[in-house]
Amino acid sequence: MKDCFGREIDYLRISITDRCNLRCRYCMPDGMSGKVCHEDVLRYEEFLRIVRAASRLGIRHLKVTGGEPLVRRGCSAFIGALKAVEGIQTVTLTTNGLLLRENLDALVQAGVDGINVSLDTTDPQQYRLITGDSGTGGVEEVSAAVFAAAERGIRVKVNAVTMPGTDVLSLISYAREHPVDVRFIEMMPIGYGRLFPDSDNRRLLARLAEVFPDMEPESEAALELLLEAVGRKRAFSFAERHSQERITKKHGEGPAVYFRIPGYQGSVGFISAVHGKFCSSCNRIRLTSTGFLKTCLCYDQGADLRAVLREMTPDGGPSPEADGRGQAGRTLGCAEPDRDLRLEEVMRAAILNKPAAHCFETPDQMTEHHEMSQIGG
Ligand code: SAM
Ligand code: SF4
């Protein structure tokens, strides 16, 4: 469906847990244990019910996220169940990769359409510093998982959140050796991300353009970013070398802009969430592990779908007797089709009211105070 600004909303990110086996400094350095009770987290069948309603409203693409989604038992089977929902076209996963290899068979069997692996550095010592990982083989394990997934024919992307010292050149080596896109994401001032200095993709791109003067922008938007990074004259010298056909190539559905480096199997992407405001073409909404439908990263605006799922009376209204643990709706035996209709209605209203744009540039206007691990990225 379209929101009130005419944007087609067809992409839903679903955070299935707020727990994680890492403690990334910008995400959840102190851990989350104890903050969300087990019973407050939606059961898989509750997520599926929401997804069926979302599909009726036009959601076509799903991303399973977290916390770390692979720490929740049954994640692969859940992906299989999502794939079977009528109207859903793609189901992808984002993971820190530590448990990916052991889940690969099950994910392939479930029919996962793509996997994003988050990896901010290839240096083992840096990796431990950034992620809080106490083991020794984190980078090796994640790298092995990336390559294993690519070899199984899965569409794999490596996502790196940029911060001071991000080693762009070593990270893009993954794209040289394998058909894997490597993407750089600007740090967003959400949760602990606020404590980090401004990260600007244009600086990274300018560095890359120095090293790879034969780099090709894959789209008008990529050319635009290059223009901002290196100036008009140099940007057009990149563009002139390449045919219009290549420049207008479509690569992915999301906000990333891509560059091709000759000899590399994968592309290099940039997601400029802060400096490249792509809100006018935003197609996404987010569902937290506790069932809150978020319509923009920046604001606490949205709808409490868990309340709809668990606290409804037979006449379709919210139950005054609801105990907050989902018992009321069930014991009152509310009509299930009514509940589905109400779910759809509440979601439709939330989507219609999706904010026009984020306000990262004026953080005091942000009303979202959750950590990224609770939101799902
Ligand atoms: N644990 C999984 C992972 O790391 O991919 C899924 C959840 S994680 C919250 C999803 C994505 O959000 C990761 O790529 C992570 O790097 C990114 N992320 C977390 N905090 C961020 C921030 N402040 N700015 C930009 N990206 C962030
Ligand atoms: Fe865990 Fe992902 Fe957050 Fe890192 S970014 S702490 S891996 S949820």
Tab-separated table of all heavy atoms in Angstrom, residues 13 20 24 26-27 64-69 94-96 116-118 120 159-161 185-194 372-377, ligand 1:
chain	number	residue	atom	x	y	z
A	13	ARG	N	11.034	-5.277	7.949
A	13	ARG	CA	12.123	-5.916	8.703
A	13	ARG	C	11.529	-6.453	9.990
A	13	ARG	O	10.797	-5.740	10.686
A	13	ARG	CB	13.226	-4.888	9.030
A	13	ARG	CG	13.967	-4.368	7.819
A	13	ARG	CD	14.974	-3.311	8.228
A	13	ARG	NE	16.124	-3.859	8.929
A	13	ARG	CZ	17.256	-4.215	8.346
A	13	ARG	NH1	17.401	-4.065	7.044
A	13	ARG	NH2	18.252	-4.713	9.068
A	20	CYS	N	21.731	-11.228	21.698
A	20	CYS	CA	22.817	-11.354	20.733
A	20	CYS	C	24.021	-12.021	21.377
A	20	CYS	O	24.233	-11.899	22.591
A	20	CYS	CB	23.201	-9.968	20.210
A	20	CYS	SG	24.403	-10.068	18.871
A	24	CYS	N	28.465	-5.396	20.143
A	24	CYS	CA	29.077	-4.344	19.326
A	24	CYS	C	28.992	-2.998	20.051
A	24	CYS	O	27.956	-2.655	20.632
A	24	CYS	CB	28.396	-4.263	17.966
A	24	CYS	SG	28.608	-5.782	17.039
A	26	TYR	N	28.697	0.007	19.125
A	26	TYR	CA	27.709	0.989	18.689
A	26	TYR	C	26.279	0.476	18.819
A	26	TYR	O	25.326	1.184	18.475
A	26	TYR	CB	27.980	1.407	17.231
A	26	TYR	CG	28.107	0.235	16.302
A	26	TYR	CD1	26.987	-0.426	15.823
A	26	TYR	CD2	29.365	-0.250	15.924
A	26	TYR	CE1	27.098	-1.519	14.989
A	26	TYR	CE2	29.486	-1.341	15.086
A	26	TYR	CZ	28.345	-1.967	14.627
A	26	TYR	OH	28.467	-3.073	13.815
A	27	CYS	N	26.141	-0.770	19.266
A	27	CYS	CA	24.799	-1.355	19.260
A	27	CYS	C	24.333	-1.758	20.662
A	27	CYS	O	23.352	-1.241	21.160
A	27	CYS	CB	24.782	-2.545	18.315
A	27	CYS	SG	23.169	-3.310	18.145
A	64	VAL	N	14.691	-10.830	8.021
A	64	VAL	CA	14.691	-11.327	9.396
A	64	VAL	C	15.967	-10.821	10.067
A	64	VAL	O	17.068	-10.991	9.549
A	64	VAL	CB	14.616	-12.872	9.418
A	64	VAL	CG1	14.753	-13.394	10.838
A	64	VAL	CG2	13.294	-13.332	8.808
A	65	THR	N	15.785	-10.164	11.229
A	65	THR	CA	16.914	-9.522	11.883
A	65	THR	C	16.803	-9.716	13.396
A	65	THR	O	16.053	-10.544	13.881
A	65	THR	CB	16.985	-8.024	11.448
A	65	THR	OG1	18.051	-7.383	12.150
A	65	THR	CG2	15.699	-7.265	11.691
A	66	GLY	N	17.588	-8.944	14.157
A	66	GLY	CA	17.561	-9.083	15.608
A	66	GLY	C	18.104	-7.809	16.248
A	66	GLY	O	18.079	-6.746	15.617
A	67	GLY	N	18.665	-7.962	17.392
A	67	GLY	CA	19.561	-8.922	17.987
A	67	GLY	C	20.179	-9.830	16.929
A	67	GLY	O	20.205	-9.489	15.751
A	68	GLU	N	20.654	-10.928	17.379
A	68	GLU	CA	21.192	-11.878	16.422
A	68	GLU	C	20.121	-12.944	16.153
A	68	GLU	O	19.817	-13.756	17.036
A	68	GLU	CB	22.490	-12.506	16.957
A	68	GLU	CG	23.031	-13.638	16.128
A	68	GLU	CD	23.113	-13.329	14.623
A	68	GLU	OE1	23.514	-12.229	14.238
A	68	GLU	OE2	22.735	-14.208	13.833
A	69	PRO	N	19.549	-12.944	14.949
A	69	PRO	CA	18.419	-13.851	14.690
A	69	PRO	C	18.778	-15.327	14.852
A	69	PRO	O	17.927	-16.124	15.256
A	69	PRO	CB	18.013	-13.524	13.254
A	69	PRO	CG	19.154	-12.765	12.669
A	69	PRO	CD	19.838	-12.077	13.783
A	94	THR	N	19.630	-10.970	8.058
A	94	THR	CA	20.868	-10.266	8.384
A	94	THR	C	21.419	-10.845	9.674
A	94	THR	O	20.686	-11.068	10.637
A	94	THR	CB	20.701	-8.724	8.447
A	94	THR	OG1	21.962	-8.160	8.819
A	94	THR	CG2	19.678	-8.262	9.438
A	95	THR	N	22.725	-11.148	9.669
A	95	THR	CA	23.343	-11.877	10.778
A	95	THR	C	24.769	-11.402	10.989
A	95	THR	O	25.395	-10.880	10.060
A	95	THR	CB	23.357	-13.398	10.468
A	95	THR	OG1	24.175	-14.074	11.429
A	95	THR	CG2	23.907	-13.707	9.079
A	96	ASN	N	25.269	-11.612	12.209
A	96	ASN	CA	26.688	-11.304	12.421
A	96	ASN	C	27.578	-12.441	11.927
A	96	ASN	O	28.801	-12.343	11.971
A	96	ASN	CB	26.973	-10.960	13.890
A	96	ASN	CG	26.678	-12.129	14.837
A	96	ASN	OD1	26.820	-13.309	14.493
A	96	ASN	ND2	26.266	-11.798	16.064
A	116	ASN	N	22.662	-11.042	4.503
A	116	ASN	CA	23.589	-9.950	4.771
A	116	ASN	C	24.411	-10.320	5.994
A	116	ASN	O	23.840	-10.679	7.027
A	116	ASN	CB	22.839	-8.651	5.081
A	116	ASN	CG	22.130	-8.098	3.860
A	116	ASN	OD1	22.194	-8.677	2.771
A	116	ASN	ND2	21.439	-6.993	4.038
A	117	VAL	N	25.715	-10.230	5.857
A	117	VAL	CA	26.582	-10.547	6.996
A	117	VAL	C	27.246	-9.254	7.449
A	117	VAL	O	27.869	-8.553	6.645
A	117	VAL	CB	27.649	-11.590	6.596
A	117	VAL	CG1	28.561	-11.884	7.782
A	117	VAL	CG2	26.991	-12.870	6.094
A	118	SER	N	27.088	-8.941	8.726
A	118	SER	CA	27.673	-7.706	9.245
A	118	SER	C	29.100	-7.966	9.689
A	118	SER	O	29.346	-8.837	10.527
A	118	SER	CB	26.855	-7.205	10.443
A	118	SER	OG	25.507	-7.049	10.054
A	120	ASP	N	32.627	-5.437	10.314
A	120	ASP	CA	33.131	-4.065	10.217
A	120	ASP	C	34.635	-3.988	9.996
A	120	ASP	O	35.169	-2.896	9.765
A	120	ASP	CB	32.777	-3.281	11.496
A	120	ASP	CG	31.277	-3.289	11.766
A	120	ASP	OD1	30.516	-3.264	10.789
A	120	ASP	OD2	30.883	-3.330	12.944
A	159	ASN	N	28.069	-6.238	5.138
A	159	ASN	CA	27.729	-4.868	5.543
A	159	ASN	C	28.694	-4.388	6.620
A	159	ASN	O	28.851	-5.056	7.651
A	159	ASN	CB	26.316	-4.828	6.135
A	159	ASN	CG	25.253	-4.886	5.061
A	159	ASN	OD1	25.510	-4.576	3.894
A	159	ASN	ND2	24.051	-5.281	5.438
A	160	ALA	N	29.330	-3.257	6.391
A	160	ALA	CA	30.234	-2.692	7.400
A	160	ALA	C	29.717	-1.314	7.810
A	160	ALA	O	29.500	-0.447	6.954
A	160	ALA	CB	31.636	-2.566	6.835
A	161	VAL	N	29.517	-1.141	9.109
A	161	VAL	CA	29.174	0.199	9.604
A	161	VAL	C	30.484	0.964	9.704
A	161	VAL	O	31.466	0.456	10.248
A	161	VAL	CB	28.511	0.128	10.994
A	161	VAL	CG1	28.214	1.532	11.514
A	161	VAL	CG2	27.229	-0.666	10.925
A	185	ILE	N	28.006	1.363	5.480
A	185	ILE	CA	26.801	2.017	6.015
A	185	ILE	C	27.210	3.109	6.996
A	185	ILE	O	27.984	2.847	7.931
A	185	ILE	CB	25.931	0.968	6.751
A	185	ILE	CG1	25.599	-0.181	5.787
A	185	ILE	CG2	24.667	1.598	7.319
A	185	ILE	CD1	24.847	-1.331	6.434
A	186	GLU	N	26.696	4.289	6.767
A	186	GLU	CA	27.013	5.383	7.705
A	186	GLU	C	26.437	5.066	9.083
A	186	GLU	O	25.284	4.625	9.196
A	186	GLU	CB	26.415	6.695	7.193
A	186	GLU	CG	27.225	7.281	6.045
A	186	GLU	CD	26.647	8.578	5.483
A	186	GLU	OE1	25.488	8.930	5.811
A	186	GLU	OE2	27.349	9.236	4.708
A	187	MET	N	27.247	5.312	10.096
A	187	MET	CA	26.798	5.117	11.478
A	187	MET	C	25.621	6.062	11.754
A	187	MET	O	25.719	7.273	11.512
A	187	MET	CB	27.954	5.458	12.422
A	187	MET	CG	27.625	5.381	13.874
A	187	MET	SD	27.616	3.705	14.506
A	187	MET	CE	29.364	3.303	14.501
A	188	MET	N	24.533	5.491	12.259
A	188	MET	CA	23.366	6.349	12.552
A	188	MET	C	23.365	6.734	14.036
A	188	MET	O	23.765	5.925	14.886
A	188	MET	CB	22.084	5.612	12.197
A	188	MET	CG	21.918	5.441	10.706
A	188	MET	SD	20.416	4.574	10.301
A	188	MET	CE	20.980	2.912	10.087
A	189	PRO	N	22.908	7.945	14.354
A	189	PRO	CA	22.927	8.395	15.758
A	189	PRO	C	21.789	7.774	16.561
A	189	PRO	O	20.976	8.467	17.160
A	189	PRO	CB	22.784	9.910	15.633
A	189	PRO	CG	22.018	10.107	14.365
A	189	PRO	CD	22.395	8.976	13.443
A	190	ILE	N	21.737	6.432	16.528
A	190	ILE	CA	20.679	5.729	17.266
A	190	ILE	C	21.352	4.929	18.375
A	190	ILE	O	22.388	4.301	18.144
A	190	ILE	CB	19.905	4.803	16.312
A	190	ILE	CG1	19.154	5.666	15.319
A	190	ILE	CG2	19.006	3.842	17.067
A	190	ILE	CD1	17.992	5.046	14.657
A	191	GLY	N	20.763	4.934	19.546
A	191	GLY	CA	21.340	4.196	20.674
A	191	GLY	C	22.790	4.615	20.888
A	191	GLY	O	23.126	5.802	20.884
A	192	TYR	N	23.671	3.627	21.020
A	192	TYR	CA	25.086	3.931	21.264
A	192	TYR	C	25.767	4.540	20.043
A	192	TYR	O	26.860	5.072	20.150
A	192	TYR	CB	25.816	2.665	21.716
A	192	TYR	CG	25.414	2.241	23.110
A	192	TYR	CD1	24.365	1.346	23.313
A	192	TYR	CD2	26.064	2.757	24.214
A	192	TYR	CE1	23.976	0.976	24.586
A	192	TYR	CE2	25.686	2.394	25.498
A	192	TYR	CZ	24.636	1.508	25.677
A	192	TYR	OH	24.257	1.154	26.934
A	193	GLY	N	25.120	4.457	18.895
A	193	GLY	CA	25.669	5.075	17.679
A	193	GLY	C	25.850	6.578	17.859
A	193	GLY	O	26.685	7.194	17.199
A	194	ARG	N	25.077	7.152	18.782
A	194	ARG	CA	25.183	8.602	19.045
A	194	ARG	C	26.560	8.976	19.597
A	194	ARG	O	26.970	10.124	19.506
A	194	ARG	CB	24.180	9.036	20.114
A	194	ARG	CG	22.753	9.050	19.651
A	194	ARG	CD	21.878	9.255	20.873
A	194	ARG	NE	20.515	8.889	20.580
A	194	ARG	CZ	19.506	9.731	20.535
A	194	ARG	NH1	19.706	10.997	20.809
A	194	ARG	NH2	18.306	9.323	20.253
A	372	MET	N	19.706	-0.095	18.789
A	372	MET	CA	19.522	-0.689	17.469
A	372	MET	C	19.220	-2.188	17.566
A	372	MET	O	18.503	-2.740	16.735
A	372	MET	CB	20.783	-0.460	16.644
A	372	MET	CG	20.570	-0.510	15.174
A	372	MET	SD	19.347	0.670	14.580
A	372	MET	CE	20.302	1.541	13.366
A	373	SER	N	19.745	-2.837	18.595
A	373	SER	CA	19.496	-4.286	18.733
A	373	SER	C	18.007	-4.554	18.970
A	373	SER	O	17.509	-5.627	18.656
A	373	SER	CB	20.303	-4.837	19.898
A	373	SER	OG	19.992	-4.113	21.061
A	374	GLN	N	17.305	-3.575	19.531
A	374	GLN	CA	15.869	-3.756	19.760
A	374	GLN	C	15.069	-3.453	18.493
A	374	GLN	O	13.977	-3.967	18.318
A	374	GLN	CB	15.396	-2.835	20.894
A	374	GLN	CG	16.029	-3.186	22.233
A	374	GLN	CD	15.727	-2.131	23.274
A	374	GLN	OE1	16.219	-1.003	23.192
A	374	GLN	NE2	14.921	-2.473	24.245
A	375	ILE	N	15.657	-2.615	17.654
A	375	ILE	CA	14.935	-2.171	16.455
A	375	ILE	C	15.219	-3.107	15.274
A	375	ILE	O	14.373	-3.319	14.415
A	375	ILE	CB	15.365	-0.721	16.086
A	375	ILE	CG1	15.045	0.228	17.249
A	375	ILE	CG2	14.677	-0.257	14.817
A	375	ILE	CD1	15.657	1.603	17.085
A	376	GLY	N	16.425	-3.639	15.240
A	376	GLY	CA	16.732	-4.600	14.169
A	376	GLY	C	17.550	-4.026	13.026
A	376	GLY	O	17.751	-4.678	12.020
A	377	GLY	N	18.010	-2.775	13.168
A	377	GLY	CA	18.880	-2.204	12.134
A	377	GLY	C	18.095	-1.585	10.990
A	377	GLY	O	16.874	-1.695	10.923
B	1	SAM	N1	22.927	-9.104	14.615
B	1	SAM	C1	22.612	-8.928	13.250
B	1	SAM	C2	23.703	-8.218	12.521
B	1	SAM	O1	24.611	-7.703	13.170
B	1	SAM	O2	23.619	-8.183	11.292
B	1	SAM	C3	21.282	-8.245	13.000
B	1	SAM	C4	20.911	-7.074	13.858
B	1	SAM	S1	21.927	-5.634	13.698
B	1	SAM	C5	21.106	-4.497	14.768
B	1	SAM	C6	21.499	-5.090	12.053
B	1	SAM	C7	22.452	-4.118	11.440
B	1	SAM	O3	22.373	-2.883	12.118
B	1	SAM	C8	23.913	-4.541	11.489
B	1	SAM	O4	24.464	-4.504	10.182
B	1	SAM	C9	24.548	-3.506	12.358
B	1	SAM	O5	25.887	-3.265	11.995
B	1	SAM	C10	23.665	-2.314	12.084
B	1	SAM	N2	23.733	-1.250	13.087
B	1	SAM	C11	23.646	-1.349	14.433
B	1	SAM	N3	23.750	-0.133	15.008
B	1	SAM	C12	23.894	0.767	13.999
B	1	SAM	C13	24.058	2.199	13.928
B	1	SAM	N4	24.063	2.956	15.021
B	1	SAM	N5	24.169	2.759	12.714
B	1	SAM	C14	24.147	2.023	11.586
B	1	SAM	N6	23.999	0.680	11.576
B	1	SAM	C15	23.886	0.063	12.764
